């Protein structure tokens, strides 16, 4: 893993809960590849915005696999 990948992994996806991209990528690598599945596995979407900010970011993560 190069430095760029490490920095990218630290990018926050769910801002309310402070969940970083690397947490999502770990679950994706384990086979969870749906928005709802990733929300359930990470706790994303349960913050004060109700997932308004992170749902599109999670969707993009899956789209760009
Ligand atoms: S950014 Fe994920 S619940 Fe608000």
């Amino acid at each position: 893993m190069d430095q760029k990948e490490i920095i990218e992994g630290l990018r926050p996806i769910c801002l309310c809960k402070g969940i970083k991209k690397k947490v999502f990528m770990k679950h994706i690598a384990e086979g969870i590849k749906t928005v709802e599945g990733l929300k359930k596995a990470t706790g994303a979407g349960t913050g004060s915005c109700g997932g308004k900010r992170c749902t599109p970011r999670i969707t993009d993560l899956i789209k760009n696999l």
Side-chain angles (χ1 to χ4, degrees):
M1 189 183 287
D2 66 20
Q3 199 173 7
K4 197 176 160 194
E5 282 175 308
I6 294 168
I7 292 168
E8 179 64 15
L10 296 174
R11 187 162 67 90
I13 299 295
C14 179
L15 301 168
C16 296
K17 294 291 193 172
I19 309 167
K20 297 176 181 14
K21 182 177 174 179
K22 65 179 181 179
V23 177
F24 288 87
M25 297 316 284
K26 179 182 155 279
H27 288 292
I28 288 170
E30 289 169 356
I32 302 172
K33 293 184 179 163
T34 63
V35 173
E36 286 312 310
L38 286 169
K39 282 181 167 180
K40 201 171 170 188
T42 62
T46 58
S48 58
C49 82
K52 280 193 190 123
R53 293 188 293 178
C54 57
T55 301
R57 292 166 191 243
I58 300 168
T59 304
D60 280 351
L61 279 185
I62 294 169
K63 254 195 239 161
N64 295 324
L65 287 178

